[in-house]
Amino acid sequence: MISLSDLKKIKAEGRKFSCLTCYDASMAKAMEIAEIDSILIGDSLGMTVQGRDSTLPVTIEDMAYHTAAVRRGNNHSFIMTDLPFMTYATLNDALVNSKTVMQAGAQMVKVEGGAWLSETVEVLTRNGIPVCVHLGLTPQSVHVFGGYKLQARTREAADKLIADCRAVVEAGAALLLLECVPAQLGKEITELFPEIPVIGIGAGHETDGQVLVVQDMLGLTFGRVAKFVRNFMKEQSGETAILDAFKAYHAAVKDGSFPAPEQTFQVEL
Ligand code: KIV
């Protein structure tokens, strides 16, 4: 089973790692066969599985249920699980709720925010819970942002995001996830923290890892699809099409061909 040390080693060796969201055992098994390096049990399940408008209604019980299902189906990938909206607003909530998903099979928890989460990151890490901090476009704050939009478009905003990364890394964050930021910023942050693997979604091709929502990359998102998504299913056919789409995604992340320029936000900072 892939560990956090393996992801750090992949970064140290200048290689890339693949990550997909996953919520159930059969998809998890297909991802194991395709050798996907890591899986995120994302609170995006509020939309993809539960049919809701946002991630806000998702509960910690939902996350534990899906984490356990994924872990039972997959013995290979590194598993991280989102702490959903308002389940880490106090230190005690963060500890109790992290315990729930770690006992369900997660190897790491993911929280959304910035420097203000430093104490939470420090306390969780001290208690044996590795933390990934998700920065940039953080969907739990969609009502603060007023929609799903590119973040850190100016040098000033990019420097503020870098300062947030530095604060949480100093507090002990073991992984960073950047969503919807200019490619140049994804590259800068990846290079600034040589010990910390950085995963991107809409953050350019220079981050150490890439993540996509599985329904997006299988062409199962109807209506508007984000610019950073590539449909890997389109290129497949036959009864192993889903498995082949996962293999194609893994290969494209590893060889750096995904994301291509058309899936990248180019902004001069
Ligand atoms: O919940 C989720 O799927 C996520 C990804 C968008 C990174 O946080």
Side-chain angles (χ1 to χ4, degrees):
M1 192 187 296
I2 293 186
S3 65
L4 180 56
S5 318
D6 295 321
L7 298 184
K8 289 185 177 208
K9 188 162 179 269
I10 290 174
K11 173 163 185 147
E13 293 173 354
R15 294 183 287 126
K16 305 273 182 196
F17 62 90
S18 57
C19 182
L20 284 172
T21 68
C22 185
Y23 321 100
D24 70 299
S26 50
M27 283 289 183
K29 178 54 72 183
M31 289 182 196
E32 175 182 289
I33 296 167
E35 298 184 348
I36 297 296
D37 296 304
S38 57
I39 282 176
L40 169 66
I41 292 90
D43 57 0
S44 51
L45 69 83
M47 286 102 104
T48 58
V49 177
Q50 299 175 338
R52 301 181 190 275
D53 289 340
S54 76
T55 60
L56 272 54
V58 176
T59 66
I60 197 69
E61 289 76 21
D62 295 333
M63 299 311 296
Y65 174 88
H66 290 281
T67 299
V70 168
R71 185 77 288 173
R72 285 192 286 266
N74 182 308
N75 229 339
H76 166 74
S77 313
F78 180 78
I79 288 190
M80 63 181 156
T81 296
D82 268 328
L83 293 187
F85 181 62
M86 291 301 287
T87 61
Y88 48 100
T90 68
L91 290 178
N92 191 56
D93 283 353
L95 280 167
V96 169
N97 291 319
S98 296
K99 176 183 171 198
T100 301
V101 293
M102 294 296 282
Q103 289 185 335
Q107 291 160 274
M108 167 175 262
V109 299
K110 177 164 81 61
V111 292
E112 296 185 4
W116 63 95
L117 282 176
S118 295
E119 197 184 1
T120 306
V121 171
E122 197 182 323
V123 169
L124 290 177
T125 306
R126 221 188 301 133
N127 280 275
I129 300 158
V131 184
C132 171
V133 179
H134 181 156
L135 304 103
L137 173 57
T138 47
Q140 290 172 15
S141 306
V142 60
H143 296 306
V144 175
F145 295 139
Y148 299 97
K149 302 175 194 161
L150 181 66
Q151 302 298 304
R153 297 158 175 263
T154 62
R155 186 67 256 172
E156 194 188 358
D159 287 342
K160 157 93 179 55
L161 201 140
I162 289 172
D164 281 334
C165 290
R166 186 167 287 119
V168 295
V169 166
E170 281 170 10
L175 222 85
L176 297 174
L177 189 148
L178 303 176
E179 179 166 356
C180 231
V181 298
Q184 186 188 326
L185 182 58
K187 177 178 189 304
E188 284 179 27
I189 292 172
T190 304
E191 289 172 353
L192 262 174
F193 303 103
E195 311 266 298
I196 309 294
V198 177
I199 306 184
I201 175 164
H205 74 283
E206 308 238 28
T207 55
D208 306 302
Q210 296 291 333
V211 59
L212 281 179
V213 171
V214 67
Q215 281 79 2
D216 287 349
M217 58 84 73
L218 290 179
L220 289 172
T221 301
F222 303 100
R224 192 186 154 271
V225 176
K227 174 183 168 76
F228 52 74
V229 171
R230 172 170 150 195
N231 180 346
F232 284 83
M233 191 70 170
K234 235 192 218 163
E235 305 142 29
Q236 319 301 333
S237 62
E239 61 188 26
T240 60
I242 291 180
L243 196 52
D244 294 340
F246 292 162
K247 288 181 180 170
Y249 169 71
H250 181 68
V253 170
K254 291 278 184 195
D255 70 20
S257 57
F258 174 78
E262 64 268 25
Q263 289 119 17
T264 299
F265 299 104
Q266 303 287 0
V267 177
E268 196 81 14
L269 291 173

